[in-house]
């Protein structure tokens, strides 16, 4: 990774300007697809802090989307008097905070598990959260929760949420970048490579893992809160989705596991393929996702970034 | 008192079926170290095949077990040899994702072929039941339990006494040493997978005669298998039986005394708890001694 950092920065800045201006010239359908791309990219990045860097592949991050969304909805339901623009920050704070607390609580037992056991235990967490939300009346999971409209009156809500997703995804990208550059990030990488050795060499693996888990959960929660607002009405099934659990892994796998831009590339590609190319073939959706997964694992275990690197390696 | 006895009996029947449905998953996990997320699909394949066979030939669904097992044996062998083997040697997440991808594709294919509706297999004795003291047992459930126990014993005997079983155990314990002794490891992996798929198919038939099924259930059966294996221990029919019975009892007791919506919650709490206290399951890893 000895590419020019200034060049990368300029490229990212240019991409952001183009993306931010997107709604001005894109037709409504593509604004919607763009929303989904940015949402997925943000989630993928948040997931990758734990899954890509530390190698703790979680199969249940939808738990934090759901917890964030439902906490925000319940809190905002109590504060109907507030102006709409204040509601979102309050909801974000409550949702992300609750995700953070939940993650901190379950981190201690669950991070003792490794590999597939961790993955499946997280799937269990996601299912338990979903069932509790659905069956305990207080959470209103089966009836559904309404969210107040928060877009400013002069602006098309679709465009507003597009920009909001863009901002959130950028925020998460920035945090991922900072994490990667820090001692903390290096520690996470060492956990991925060999946890026992890292621990022996004095890396505080337990603390780092827990921190990465909580950070990843909080950022996922932020995305969940925005997602809930953009839907306007959520039930248990619309936020605790098993296909989200799976997609988050696929984004990193497709883009390149453990790379900074991998999840973004993966999310953009997969959303484009499933929404635009296969958008009309809904019956074919599961099949196509499965096929992508199989081909990926067999043909390109390093993802797009891995392929690029390999190409470069052979050319040089 | 009657209610408790009845709940326990129902739990045991359900547990026997969970055990049979999980034993293949457990074997693959123990020998190949692959989490086969398409296990539920193999189970359902068995159920649908039995539905087709029993309707076409007008025979008792339990008599379909041998042909269905034969078909799934071949499917399993080919599946492992041509697809999974390519991912086995890489990171464990890869083979997990591969099988998940296959599960998605096949689930979608099943929806096309069999429609997403609930189906069930109805044997001729579907409505007879007998009373054992205070406990009411349907003939269907009783035969399902009997079939599960017999099949589990067969697998245990196969692993324990046959040459194939010996080779499988050897490969699981020390892959390298087995290879040095002239074992064709890839072939053994594929045979293990084939045996597991065959037992998954048999489980599908037993499930089919007591519960309705649809292509959407595959995830539930895979998860059940995972929980059973974690509870009981990897690789052995006995572990699967213990885990299955425990799971069956816990889910019927929860449904009866806490609420019908909560079996999954208690199931996963139990799972996480057990992973923390006894990560190798109640009986431990059957192939562990030499590792």
């Amino acid at each position: 990774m000895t590419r020019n950092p200034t060049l990368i920065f300029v490229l990212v800045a240019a991409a952001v300007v183009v993306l931010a201006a997107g709604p001005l010239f894109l037709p409504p359908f593509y604004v919607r697809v763009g929303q989904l791309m940015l949402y997925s990219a943000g989630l993928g990045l948040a997931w990758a802090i734990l899954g890509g860097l530390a190698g703790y592949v979680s199969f249940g991050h939808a738990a934090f989307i759901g917890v964030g969304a439902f906490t925000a909805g319940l809190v905002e339901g109590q504060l109907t008097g507030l102006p709409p623009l204040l509601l979102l920050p309050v909801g974000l704070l409550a949702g992300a905070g609750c995700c953070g607390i939940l993650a901190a609580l379950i981190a201690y037992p669950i991070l003792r598990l490794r590999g597939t056991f961790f993955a499946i235990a997280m799937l269990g967490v996601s299912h338990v959260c979903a069932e509790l939300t659905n069956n305990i009346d207080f959470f209103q999971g089966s009836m559904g929760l309404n969210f107040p409209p928060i877009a400013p009156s002069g602006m098309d809500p679709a465009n507003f949420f597009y920009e909001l997703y863009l901002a959130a995804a950028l925020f998460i990208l920035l945090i991922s970048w900072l994490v990667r550059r820090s001692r903390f990030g290096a520690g996470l990488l060492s956990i991925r490579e060999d946890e026992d050795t890292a621990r022996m060499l004095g890396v505080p693996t337990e603390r780092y893992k827990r921190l990465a888990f909580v950070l990843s959960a909080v950022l996922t929660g932020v995305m969940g809160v925005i997602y809930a607002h953009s839907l306007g009405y959520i039930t248990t099934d619309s936020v605790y989705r098993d296909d989200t659990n799976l997609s988050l892994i696929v984004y990193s796998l497709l883009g390149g596991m453990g790379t900074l831009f991998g999840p973004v590339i993966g999310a953009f590609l997969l959303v484009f393929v499933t929404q635009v190319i296969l958008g009309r073939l809904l019956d074919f959706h599961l099949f196509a996702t499965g096929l992508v997964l199989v081909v990926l694992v067999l043909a390109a275990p390093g993802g797009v970034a891995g392929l690029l690197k390999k190409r470069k390696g052979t050319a040089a | 008192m009657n209610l408790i006895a009845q709940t326990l009996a129902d739990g045991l029947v359900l547990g026997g079926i969970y055990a049979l449905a999980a034993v293949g998953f457990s074997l693959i996990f123990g020998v190949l170290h692959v989490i086969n997320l398409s296990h539920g699909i193999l189970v359902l394949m068995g159920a649908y095949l039995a539905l087709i066979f029993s309707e076409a030939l007008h025979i008792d669904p339990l008599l379909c077990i041998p042909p269905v097992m034969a078909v799934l044996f071949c499917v399993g062998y080919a599946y492992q040899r041509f697809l999974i083997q390519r991912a086995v040697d890489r990171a464990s997440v890869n083979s997990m994702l591969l099988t998940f991808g296959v599960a998605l594709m096949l689930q979608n294919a099943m929806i096309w072929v069999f429609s997403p509706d609930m189906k069930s297999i109805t044997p001729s004795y579907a409505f007879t039941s007998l009373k054992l003291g205070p406990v009411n047992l349907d003939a269907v459930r009783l035969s399902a339990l009997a079939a599960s126990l017999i099949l589990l014993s067969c697998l245990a005997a196969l692993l324990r006494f046959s040459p194939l079983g010996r080779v499988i155990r050897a490969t699981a314990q020390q892959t390298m040493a087995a290879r040095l002794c002239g074992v064709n490891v890839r072939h053994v992996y594929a045979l293990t997978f084939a045996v597991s798929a065959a037992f998954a198919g048999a489980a599908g038939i037993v499930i089919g005669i007591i519960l309705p099924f649809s292509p959407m259930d595959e995830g539930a059966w895979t998860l059940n298998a995972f929980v059973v294996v974690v509870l009981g221990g990897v690789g052995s029919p006995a572990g699967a039986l213990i885990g299955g019975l425990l799971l069956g009892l816990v889910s019927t007791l929860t449904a009866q005394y806490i609420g019908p919506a909560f079996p999954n919650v208690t199931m996963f709490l139990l799972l996480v708890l057990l992973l923390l206290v006894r990560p190798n399951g109640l009986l431990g890893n059957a192939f562990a001694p030499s590792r």
Side-chain angles (χ1 to χ4, degrees), chain A:
Chain A
M1 291 305 233
T2 51
R3 271 164 287 172
N4 189 349
T6 336
L7 180 70
I8 297 214
F9 179 76
V10 170
L11 275 178
V12 169
V16 167
V17 171
V18 172
L19 281 173
L24 296 179
F25 55 83
L26 284 175
F29 171 71
Y30 285 94
V31 173
R32 183 82 196 87
V33 172
Q35 278 187 12
L36 203 57
M37 281 180 173
L38 292 167
Y39 167 65
S40 312
L43 284 179
L45 284 165
W47 180 90
I49 291 179
L50 184 72
L53 276 183
Y56 273 70
V57 173
S58 156
F59 225 77
H61 255 50
F64 302 117
I65 302 176
V67 169
F70 271 92
T71 315
L74 291 170
V75 168
E76 286 174 30
Q78 302 297 316
L79 302 169
T80 35
L82 256 65
L85 265 181
L86 259 180
L87 273 178
L88 182 68
V90 171
L92 281 176
L93 216 61
C98 195
C99 283
I101 294 170
L102 174 72
L105 283 180
I106 59 174
Y108 182 67
I110 226 169
L111 283 174
R112 288 177 55 186
L113 308 170
R114 293 189 188 175
T116 19
F117 288 101
F118 173 76
I120 302 284
M122 278 305 296
L123 181 63
V125 168
S126 148
H127 277 217
V128 167
C129 287
E131 294 218 345
L132 290 178
T133 315
N134 218 6
N135 294 320
I136 296 178
D137 290 340
F138 172 74
F139 297 123
Q140 302 173 30
S142 46
M143 269 168 34
L145 268 181
N146 278 307
F147 284 80
I150 52 161
S153 52
M155 202 170 172
D156 181 4
N159 293 355
F160 172 73
F161 279 111
Y162 178 92
E163 303 291 354
L164 200 58
Y165 278 131
L166 180 63
L170 269 179
F171 174 67
I172 300 179
L173 184 68
L174 182 71
I175 290 192
S176 318
W177 181 67
L178 288 176
V179 166
R180 296 178 74 87
R181 281 167 45 92
S182 66
R183 195 177 170 79
F184 171 49
L188 291 180
L189 267 181
S190 75
I191 291 177
R192 182 183 75 185
E193 294 306 321
D194 190 335
E195 187 168 342
D196 299 319
T197 310
R199 186 185 201 152
M200 204 178 70
L201 293 175
V203 179
T205 51
E206 292 297 321
R207 188 150 49 92
Y208 277 3
K209 278 194 301 189
R210 235 174 291 160
L211 199 57
F213 189 56
V214 171
L215 185 61
S216 171
V218 166
L219 295 177
T220 311
V222 165
M223 273 307 190
V225 174
I226 301 178
Y227 182 61
H229 279 99
S230 78
L231 289 181
Y233 168 79
I234 58 167
T235 60
T236 311
D237 292 339
S238 59
V239 281
Y240 291 101
R241 289 168 56 169
D242 268 341
D243 57 331
T244 318
N245 281 333
L246 170 73
S247 304
L248 293 183
I249 306 178
V250 180
Y251 298 149
S252 277
L253 203 70
L254 185 60
M257 197 60 99
T259 56
L260 178 59
F261 290 102
V264 181
I265 301 170
F268 279 25
L269 267 178
L270 197 71
V271 171
F272 186 77
V273 169
T274 51
Q275 297 298 314
V276 179
I277 301 181
L278 299 169
R280 283 158 198 249
L281 306 163
L282 272 182
D283 284 351
F284 199 66
H285 214 129
L286 271 180
F287 194 86
T289 320
L291 193 66
V292 169
L293 209 55
V294 170
V295 170
L296 261 178
V297 173
L298 292 181
V304 174
L307 279 184
L308 288 179
K309 222 181 268 178
K310 215 196 256 168
R311 176 74 52 81
K312 253 190 189 161
T314 48

Side-chain angles (χ1 to χ4, degrees), chain B residues 57-95:
Chain B
L57 305 172
H58 299 289
I59 53 170
D60 186 88
L62 287 179
L63 290 179
C64 301
I65 287 180
V68 167
M69 281 179 87
V71 172
L72 275 160
F73 186 88
C74 304
V75 171
Y77 191 92
Y79 179 25
Q80 148 69 19
R81 205 71 205 248
F82 295 118
L83 271 180
I84 296 179
Q85 183 60 46
R86 290 163 198 259
V88 163
D89 305 326
R90 299 192 191 134
S92 64
V93 176
N94 275 353
S95 55

Side-chain angles (χ1 to χ4, degrees), chain B residues 9 97 103 110 120 132 144 156 174 200 216 222 274 289:
Chain B
L97 285 174
M110 278 187 175
S120 63
L132 198 76
Q174 282 278 340
M216 270 55 138
T222 310
L274 210 85

Side-chain angles (χ1 to χ4, degrees), chain B:
Chain B
M1 190 60 222
N2 282 0
L3 188 59
I4 293 182
Q6 182 69 47
T7 313
L8 287 179
D10 288 347
L12 287 178
V13 171
L14 201 59
I17 293 157
Y18 285 158
L20 183 62
V23 73
F25 183 88
S26 166
L27 196 60
I28 293 175
F29 195 14
V31 179
L32 282 77
H33 314 290
V34 167
I35 301 267
N36 177 17
L37 290 181
S38 52
H39 188 75
I41 286 288
L42 297 173
V43 170
L44 286 181
M45 243 184 220
Y48 279 110
L49 281 176
L51 187 66
I52 295 171
F53 280 159
S54 64
E55 274 180 3
L57 305 172
H58 299 289
I59 53 170
D60 186 88
L62 287 179
L63 290 179
C64 301
I65 287 180
V68 167
M69 281 179 87
V71 172
L72 275 160
F73 186 88
C74 304
V75 171
Y77 191 92
Y79 179 25
Q80 148 69 19
R81 205 71 205 248
F82 295 118
L83 271 180
I84 296 179
Q85 183 60 46
R86 290 163 198 259
V88 163
D89 305 326
R90 299 192 191 134
S92 64
V93 176
N94 275 353
S95 55
M96 195 161 103
L97 285 174
L98 178 75
T99 54
F100 196 91
V102 171
L104 288 181
M105 287 163 69
L106 289 182
Q107 187 192 9
N108 208 338
M110 278 187 175
I111 294 176
W112 292 332
V113 178
F114 299 111
S115 87
D117 302 336
M118 286 283 187
K119 294 269 167 63
S120 63
I121 307 171
T122 323
S124 52
Y125 45 88
F127 301 104
T128 23
S129 69
L130 57 138
K131 251 179 143 38
L132 198 76
V135 180
N136 229 336
L137 280 173
D138 311 342
V140 184
R141 287 172 172 270
L142 215 54
S143 56
L145 181 63
S148 305
L149 292 180
I150 292 172
L151 283 166
L152 280 175
S153 322
C154 288
L155 182 61
L158 177 83
L159 285 177
R160 189 92 190 80
F161 300 117
S162 76
L164 172 64
R166 199 165 61 226
V167 174
I168 289 179
R169 279 184 291 136
T171 311
Q173 283 182 356
Q174 282 278 340
T175 314
M176 177 63 86
R179 193 174 272 142
L180 287 174
C181 293
V183 171
N184 182 350
V185 169
R186 291 185 165 207
H187 182 65
V188 173
Y189 275 180
L191 280 179
T192 311
F193 206 98
V195 169
S196 302
F199 277 84
I205 303 176
V206 175
I207 288 163
I209 61 177
I210 70 164
L211 296 168
F213 53 91
S214 80
M216 270 55 138
D217 296 344
E218 58 96 11
W221 286 109
T222 310
L223 267 182
N224 275 342
F226 190 86
V227 176
V228 166
V229 171
V230 171
L231 291 180
V234 172
S236 66
L241 187 62
I242 300 260
L245 291 181
L246 195 60
L247 180 62
L249 286 177
V250 166
S251 48
T252 44
L253 286 175
T254 317
Q256 184 68 45
Y257 292 103
I258 301 183
F262 291 100
N264 277 344
V265 176
T266 41
M267 182 173 100
F268 275 110
L269 289 182
L270 188 70
L271 174 82
V272 172
L273 197 72
L274 210 85
L275 274 175
L276 296 175
V277 217
R278 211 176 144 72
N280 282 330
L282 290 176
L283 291 193
N285 188 330
F287 305 121
S290 58
R291 200 176 285 137

